[in-house]
Amino acid sequence: LVTGRGRIDEALFEELEETLIQSDINIHTTGRLLKVLREAVQDERMIGSDQVMARLKAELTDILAMGGSADRYALKVGEKSPTVYLIVGVNGVGKTTTIAKLAYNLTQQKKHVILAAGDTFRAAAIDQLEIWSHRVGTELIKHKEGSDPASVVYDAIKAAKARHADYVIADTAGRLHTRLNLMEELKKINRITERELGRPADETLLVLDATTGQNAISQAKEFMKAVPLTGISLSKLDGTARGGIVITIADELKLPIKLIGVGEKQGDLLLFDPVRYVESLFE
Amino acid sequence: SLSDRLQGVFKKLRGKGRVTEADVTEALREVRLALLEADVSLKVVKDFMAKIKDKAIGTDVLEGLSPVQQIVKIVNDELVELLGGENVGLNLAASPPTVIMLCGLQGSGKTTLCGKLAAYFKKQGRNPMMVACDIYRPAAVKQLQVLGTQVKVPVFTLPAESEKSPPTIALEAIQAAKANGNDIVILDTAGRLAIDEELMDELGQMKAWLSRRLDPSFPHEILLVVDAMVGQDAVNFAEQFNNRLGLTGVVMTKMDGDSRGGAALSVRAVTGVPIKFMGVSEKMDGLEPFYPDRLASRILG
Ligand SMILES: Nc1nc2c(ncn2[C@@H]2O[C@H](COP(=O)(O)OP(=O)(O)OP(=O)(O)O)[C@@H](O)[C@H]2O)c(=O)[nH]1
Ligand SMILES: Nc1nc2c(ncn2[C@@H]2O[C@H](COP(=O)(O)OP(=O)(O)OP(=O)(O)O)[C@@H](O)[C@H]2O)c(=O)[nH]1
Ligand SMILES: [Mg+2]
Ligand SMILES: [Mg+2]
């Protein structure tokens, strides 16, 4: 794409618009960014495309950094243990795998982690998390399939307190945000968590699949209404999709991206770095 | 909706007398916007807009009584045609078994679809078998077995200790199906990235072994399973899967969400392969045939 110093002309803006749209950045966000760039070219009397690129990257990074320092992306630790993380999102985005990766990360730091098998609905969901808990070496709290997910999370928090565990990470079933009864179920899980913990979950992370298009905005909005989301985990960034919709989500909903998934193995989880992410959009 | 937005465009142009080419070009910008918002891939949108432009600035629109209705009709008709015009069913073998191979990205809904297809065929009085070729994902085999119990369809598996590759599992499954009298064999495979050379080669090998070692007509169907919420990336992976395998059909899953589903148009446009089914729920009866006209109005919002 645009490397080195080229002319600033209409072809440049078309190329930039293409790149932004093809990264799944919302068309209105894209329009706004290009407008800012055109004004900057005039106001700052830019003469080379490299200046335009630098400015575009700065704009995108600012939106993603959300005026926060690096620790805005670090995961919150509860004022009193256990620290509790609730993982939510629509079907198939990578919630269970993200939990395995988080658990691996934390156990590597010698933390005592307890997983809660909160997906009591989908075929073999508990089995899937159980295999991960064995591989990573964490405890798992599970009930029978079909039981109340809120009670699993409740038991996990209780067990964590009794055993002085550092972390509870709760898995939930995939659910489309258009299913009102499932969103009600999620609200109940959240209420029970808050009540047993004495505060909201320290992180309530929405997992988004990087291949998702504009629907991610709808997902973020609806999940935000149901539970106090604290951040996003963007999975499957090891593919060709860039998940650019997170830029619109950061811009409009002020929801920070905290984690990125870059593969299917337990080590494939990184803390979100806006600068590196923006660079990857133009590679 | 698109007609509302077009009404908005023509409202501010009204009172100047006849509709001009420039007015229509303005209206077409709304169409482009609607398609991009619906997740249709950029290059598919460009090709689409080029196709409808001539019709849209034709005399029917410029001299017609209702340019908005005319344009919406042109767009809708073109979309329906592009999406395949009418419903296309599955290719079934002249003599059993029919072999259906499912493939796609991680989490797209393949295993769930496998169960749904099995239930669908069983309801038709057939004798299907599901095959667990995903040896990677934790509890993938168990997941298919649970579905098998739910829909009362046998699931062919090999123990993990056997360390047999997915193509080998497919071969042995079909031998077992023939011996057992199953007339439909549905192969569930692991989700994979289109850019994962090794895993794409594995699928290529599965297809090659089926056709060369068993029967040149195998597999009768290679279905790409696509999540309805996929965005611009659809053109990339659809093209890769099609180039590698020669797809025979596409299934759009999670259509019960509120995603506009433009990825369906992208996939169809870039591969020319028909969309055969839609997944509309997590349950085993959540499978519907694909209707181009319904998706067209959904894409247009
Ligand atoms: N390539 C890649 N695959 C991923 C990533 N994260 C998850 N996956 C894969 O995506 C698929 C779905 O992952 P899950 O963890 O089961 O997703 P989920 O959200 O828990 O799914 P449901 O519980 O069914 O809603 C699996 O095949 C994972 O291996 C990632 O970062 N990269
Ligand atoms: N609402 C809805 N959910 C679906 C549909 N199809 C699948 N799902 C859900 O999507 C999630 C992923 O489905 P799977 O069948 O495990 O996906 P997969 O492609 O086999 O995943 P991998 O094997 O990891 O690649 C599960 O939670 C399913 O219940 C559908 O049509 N509608
Ligand atoms: Mg899960
Ligand atoms: Mg599967």
Side-chain angles (χ1 to χ4, degrees):
Chain A
L1 173 61
V2 190
T3 53
R5 167 163 290 213
R7 307 184 28 205
I8 298 179
D9 53 15
E10 230 10 74
L12 172 66
F13 283 97
E14 276 188 29
E15 194 177 356
L16 291 178
E17 186 189 40
E18 265 199 26
T19 304
L20 297 176
I21 292 176
Q22 289 178 331
S23 311
D24 284 305
I25 295 176
N26 176 271
I27 185 79
H28 302 290
T29 307
T30 299
R32 198 173 64 67
L33 286 166
L34 293 177
K35 186 155 173 280
V36 166
L37 289 182
R38 286 179 197 278
E39 289 172 3
V41 166
Q42 296 285 11
D43 299 345
E44 297 166 35
R45 308 211 191 139
M46 294 181 180
I47 52 167
S49 61
D50 56 335
Q51 292 174 285
V52 179
M53 276 308 288
R55 184 56 191 273
L56 176 57
K57 289 181 183 176
E59 289 291 321
L60 290 168
T61 310
D62 282 349
I63 293 173
L64 290 169
M66 293 169 63
S69 51
D71 64 309
R72 171 144 210 177
Y73 325 108
L75 297 182
K76 186 146 178 287
V77 175
E79 61 220 16
K80 220 158 139 259
S81 69
T83 292
V84 177
Y85 296 159
L86 190 59
I87 310 298
V88 306
V90 304
N91 309 71
V93 294
K95 299 177 292 302
T96 305
T97 310
T98 299
I99 290 168
K101 295 171 182 178
L102 266 172
Y104 171 71
N105 219 289
L106 293 169
T107 50
Q108 289 295 98
Q109 297 174 42
K110 305 277 177 267
K111 304 291 182 200
H112 180 182
V113 179
I114 293 185
L115 300 183
D119 181 352
T120 57
F121 168 74
R122 203 209 68 210
I126 299 172
D127 299 80
Q128 184 185 4
L129 191 61
E130 188 155 33
I131 291 174
W132 277 118
S133 75
H134 288 314
R135 282 189 192 175
V136 169
T138 71
E139 295 180 51
L140 176 76
I141 298 294
K142 58 174 181 163
H143 291 181
K144 290 210 344 278
E145 204 179 280
S147 52
D148 175 19
S151 66
V152 181
V153 182
Y154 174 87
D155 278 359
I157 296 175
K158 256 195 133 48
K161 286 180 183 170
R163 301 172 206 181
H164 304 292
D166 303 305
Y167 287 84
V168 171
I169 312 177
D171 194 7
T172 61
R175 68 202 67 226
L176 291 184
H177 49 290
T178 45
R179 291 284 309 273
L180 302 182
N181 60 330
L182 298 182
M183 296 309 279
E184 283 305 312
E185 177 188 84
L186 191 59
K187 287 181 191 168
K188 179 179 173 197
I189 295 173
N190 185 52
R191 272 198 307 277
I192 301 288
T193 301
E194 252 189 72
R195 212 171 58 201
E196 181 57 19
L197 196 59
R199 62 179 191 270
D202 300 292
E203 290 283 353
T204 301
L205 298 175
L206 176 69
V207 181
L208 291 177
D209 186 327
T211 63
T212 306
Q214 303 304 303
N215 195 251
I217 301 177
S218 184
Q219 293 174 25
K221 285 191 176 148
E222 294 309 312
F223 272 86
M224 260 182 128
K225 285 190 204 155
V227 292
L229 295 182
T230 58
I232 288 172
S233 179
L234 185 61
S235 66
K236 308 181 196 174
L237 271 181
D238 45 319
T240 45
R242 301 262 58 79
I245 200 66
V246 296
I247 289 161
T248 304
I249 291 174
D251 199 24
E252 294 183 12
L253 303 179
K254 306 297 177 224
L255 197 54
I257 298 89
K258 300 214 170 187
L259 300 169
I260 61 172
V262 292
E264 300 187 70
K265 306 201 293 299
Q266 58 199 24
D268 296 333
L269 188 71
L270 304 173
L271 272 185
F272 180 69
D273 175 349
V275 173
R276 278 192 65 190
Y277 175 78
V278 170
E279 282 299 329
S280 75
L281 293 178
F282 301 100
E283 265 155 23
Chain B
S1 75
L2 180 64
S3 23
D4 294 339
R5 296 160 75 152
L6 292 180
Q7 296 280 6
V9 171
F10 281 103
K11 242 196 179 78
K12 55 182 165 84
L13 303 173
R14 202 159 298 168
K16 346 203 291 338
R18 56 176 291 252
V19 173
T20 65
E21 239 183 69
D23 298 338
V24 172
T25 305
E26 173 82 12
L28 289 182
R29 270 198 269 278
E30 283 300 323
V31 176
R32 175 177 181 269
L33 212 60
L35 293 175
L36 287 174
E37 286 175 352
D39 287 325
V40 181
S41 292
L42 185 60
K43 82 171 150 76
V44 174
V45 173
K46 286 187 178 171
D47 294 344
F48 184 88
M49 297 311 296
K51 268 212 192 96
I52 64 164
K53 179 163 195 235
D54 291 340
K55 288 199 193 120
I57 56 176
T59 46
D60 289 346
V61 178
L62 298 185
E63 299 178 8
L65 292 173
S66 169
V68 170
Q69 283 195 27
Q70 289 275 15
I71 294 175
V72 172
K73 179 161 192 334
I74 290 168
V75 175
N76 193 69
D77 290 355
E78 186 65 30
L79 269 182
V80 170
E81 181 170 345
L82 258 184
L83 285 170
E86 45 170 50
N87 178 263
V88 177
L90 291 174
N91 306 322
L92 297 177
S95 62
T98 294
V99 180
I100 299 173
M101 195 170 137
L102 304 180
C103 63
L105 300 185
Q106 291 88 345
S108 56
K110 299 174 292 300
T111 305
T112 306
L113 176 64
C114 195
K116 290 176 180 181
L117 284 172
Y120 168 84
F121 286 123
K122 186 144 168 94
K123 208 159 179 237
Q124 292 180 345
R126 299 180 190 278
N127 188 9
M129 162 199 274
M130 302 197 282
V131 185
C133 294
D134 181 353
I135 56 172
Y136 308 108
R137 171 173 153 155
V141 172
K142 178 93 197 284
Q143 185 182 2
L144 200 62
Q145 286 175 320
V146 171
L147 297 183
T149 306
Q150 281 179 21
V151 302
K152 305 203 176 55
V153 166
V155 178
F156 181 91
T157 69
L158 288 183
E161 307 78 62
S162 72
E163 296 197 349
K164 297 274 175 81
S165 69
T168 307
I169 299 170
L171 286 185
E172 296 197 18
I174 294 171
Q175 310 293 38
K178 286 184 179 164
N180 199 35
N182 299 98
D183 57 351
I184 314 240
V185 178
I186 314 165
L187 308 169
D188 182 24
T189 65
R192 67 205 62 215
L193 297 177
I195 52 171
D196 186 328
E197 291 289 331
E198 201 176 324
L199 286 183
M200 291 304 281
D201 284 348
E202 177 189 275
L203 281 182
Q205 184 178 59
M206 186 180 290
K207 175 185 182 182
W209 283 10
L210 292 176
S211 64
R212 286 183 218 152
R213 297 187 190 188
L214 293 185
D215 190 306
S217 68
F218 290 1
H220 302 90
E221 287 280 355
I222 302 182
L223 302 177
L224 180 66
V225 182
V226 181
D227 192 323
M229 63 194 196
V230 162
Q232 294 289 315
D233 198 46
V235 281
N236 300 328
F237 69 82
E239 189 161 29
Q240 298 261 24
F241 274 92
N242 193 35
N243 289 349
R244 288 287 196 132
L245 302 173
L247 303 170
T248 61
V250 173
V251 178
M252 299 300 299
T253 62
K254 308 177 205 171
M255 289 289 280
D256 43 319
D258 61 356
S259 156
R260 296 266 289 277
L265 181 64
S266 305
V267 173
R268 167 75 193 192
V270 95
T271 65
V273 173
I275 300 167
K276 301 205 170 184
F277 286 103
M278 299 190 320
V280 295
S281 86
E282 291 191 73
K283 312 226 290 310
M284 292 296 101
D285 59 0
L287 187 69
E288 287 182 5
F290 171 73
Y291 296 109
D293 53 345
R294 289 190 206 168
L295 183 60
S297 19
R298 176 175 176 150
I299 287 177
L300 292 181

